[in-house]
Amino acid sequence: MQPADTKAAPTAPTSAPTSGPDDRHRPGQRAFRRANLALFAAGVATFVLLYSTQGLLPILSADLDLTPGQASWTASAATLGLALGLLPASALSDRYGRTAVMTASTLAAATLALALPLAPDLTTLVALRALQGAALAGLPATAMAYLAEEIHPSALASAMGLYVAGNSIGGMGGRLLSGWTAAALGWRWGLAASAALALLAALAFRLLIPAARHFTPAPVDARALARTVGGHLRNPLLVRLYALGLLFMAVFGAVYNTIGYRLIAAPFHLPESIAASIFVVYLVGTGTSAAAGRLTARLGRRGALYTAIAVTTAGLLLSLADSLPLTLLGLVLITAGFFAGHATASAAVGRTATHGRAQASALYLIAYYLGNSLGGTLGADAYHSTAWPGTTTIALTAMTLATAVTLYATHQAHTARRAVADA
């Protein structure tokens, strides 16, 4: 569904030209429009491909005689590959340039997508999806840095907003396009349709993206990177935020990898094309992500997290009812709670890290996508064993752990305040 898809990408500190007038792109300039459209297209390409199999998992199961857990690996492998590729892609972009890495990333992933419909078996399909996920890592690892370097600060928020919108539309569109096409023509045609759309978007990105003017190559320093990453992993607050990102995304992966199976089975028996349309609910996340900042301002970070956990938990409990309206309402609440929690935690990472913010955000995304892979696989296996109650048990366990992490943070904050008061 980064953030994510409205998922957030690693933030990079803005860098102004060191001398002379600031000639970064501004609203009204042709280069500004081209940069915005290019990043929008790249976001569409990336997230169309990343989630292309999630909308057709029940069809894959039926056609290849797979359990939900086996089919879910076609989704989990891509997010796992992306998670593992984020830090290397970020380092490569520092060495070879943002546009070079983004171009190679989107075109390589779209080219791999053309091979997916030809996969003879599950093993080949999962391997190709893992490679595709690793290839896709170049965009979320690099896009924000490109925008920060090339777009004038006065227009940076709107440019990033359009990029995130491309992620969201791509994430939802990939699920819907592949699901609808597969329901009519089979899963191979569903993947082919996603590949065609992603390839067009990748080519549009390449044609539109203005050349970088403010990028300065830097050597890849593995030891410095390791020191920065190690420092972040020794920061207790950052580790808690990474855990929360993983746990919220585990819920999202578990629910969205299996909701199609639930809707086509008893007692609902929805047609596959209608079940695939359920990803329209994903749009709830766009509004929720925008509202998360206001919620945090009103309740504080931990208050916003408690609210997100409560809303997600309420949605999970509602979804247990054998009533289609209640199940759909539950899905809306799960989606809203997930995006609120993700937006709150990911924003806190940027504020907490005092150095190496790009690496801090990359680590958050690694945990986030690992949560997707873990939750998606465990949730699908649980569905195969005990149907929807099994999936919700996995998701509720994740929310229980998220509650424990947040309660521990609250306790630590209260202890620190008492120590200051007693000093």
Side-chain angles (χ1 to χ4, degrees):
M1 207 76 17
Q2 332 50 342
D5 234 31
T6 56
K7 299 146 183 93
T11 31
T14 56
S15 55
T18 55
S19 63
D22 190 339
D23 62 347
R24 286 177 287 181
H25 308 314
R26 301 170 184 261
Q29 296 176 344
R30 182 170 179 267
F32 177 81
R33 292 191 295 271
R34 288 183 59 186
N36 275 342
L37 288 173
L39 268 296
F40 178 87
V44 168
T46 298
F47 288 96
V48 159
L49 295 176
L50 186 62
Y51 293 109
S52 60
T53 63
Q54 196 173 55
L56 47 78
L57 295 181
I59 299 171
L60 275 172
S61 287
D63 193 59
L64 299 179
D65 192 26
L66 305 175
T67 66
Q70 290 172 322
S72 74
W73 269 107
T74 64
S76 298
T79 51
L80 181 61
L82 188 148
L84 296 177
L86 280 167
L87 281 175
S90 177
L92 288 174
S93 80
D94 286 341
R95 175 66 181 86
Y96 296 106
R98 317 304 186 196
T99 55
V101 169
M102 289 189 289
T103 299
S105 175
T106 52
L107 290 177
T111 301
L112 283 168
L114 297 174
L116 293 180
L118 306 176
D121 52 40
L122 177 66
T123 301
T124 305
L125 184 58
V126 169
L128 287 171
R129 289 286 287 158
L131 288 173
Q132 191 177 49
L136 286 169
L139 188 80
T142 304
M144 292 297 192
Y146 172 85
L147 289 172
E149 289 166 354
E150 304 300 329
I151 301 298
H152 192 271
S154 63
L156 187 57
S158 63
M160 288 188 175
L162 189 60
Y163 165 65
V164 170
N167 296 354
S168 179
I169 291 172
M172 183 187 70
R175 293 166 168 100
L176 293 177
L177 177 64
S178 62
W180 287 338
T181 306
L185 302 172
W187 64 269
R188 295 182 189 275
W189 283 106
L191 290 177
S194 294
L197 175 59
L199 185 58
L200 289 174
L203 291 173
F205 166 79
R206 182 64 187 91
L207 292 172
L208 288 168
I209 191 72
R213 295 187 294 184
H214 301 293
F215 168 73
T216 302
V220 176
D221 189 337
R223 285 182 294 182
L225 179 63
R227 286 194 298 270
T228 300
V229 169
H232 291 328
L233 293 178
R234 289 190 294 272
N235 184 320
L237 177 53
L238 284 176
V239 170
R240 289 196 293 269
L241 293 171
Y242 298 154
L244 288 169
L246 185 150
L247 292 167
F248 272 107
M249 192 51 157
V251 173
F252 200 66
V255 168
Y256 273 91
N257 271 17
T258 53
I259 188 63
Y261 292 98
R262 173 159 168 75
L263 294 177
I264 65 175
F268 306 129
H269 297 293
L270 293 182
E272 289 173 342
S273 59
I274 301 300
S277 302
I278 199 64
F279 294 105
V280 171
V281 174
Y282 195 79
L283 289 174
V284 170
T286 303
T288 307
S289 297
R294 296 191 295 274
L295 185 66
T296 301
R298 187 171 184 177
L299 302 177
R301 182 176 67 242
R302 288 184 295 276
L305 288 170
Y306 285 128
T307 301
I309 292 167
V311 170
T312 304
T313 301
L316 289 166
L317 295 174
L318 272 179
S319 73
L320 289 166
D322 286 337
S323 160
L324 186 58
L326 288 180
T327 296
L328 294 179
L329 176 59
L331 189 62
V332 168
L333 292 178
I334 292 166
T335 305
F338 158 73
F339 274 103
H342 163 50
T344 302
S346 60
V349 168
R351 291 193 296 269
T352 301
T354 57
H355 68 285
R357 287 187 175 90
Q359 288 73 33
S361 293
L363 287 171
Y364 175 84
L365 281 182
I366 289 170
Y368 177 86
Y369 284 115
L370 286 176
N372 184 296
S373 298
L374 181 66
T377 302
L378 291 178
D381 282 336
Y383 183 88
H384 181 62
S385 300
T386 53
W388 188 250
T391 298
T392 54
T393 298
I394 295 294
L396 287 168
T397 299
M399 284 297 90
T400 300
L401 292 173
T403 302
V405 170
T406 311
L407 283 171
Y408 178 77
T410 303
H411 170 73
Q412 291 293 95
H414 288 167
T415 300
R417 282 198 293 270
R418 284 198 299 270
V420 171
D422 294 340

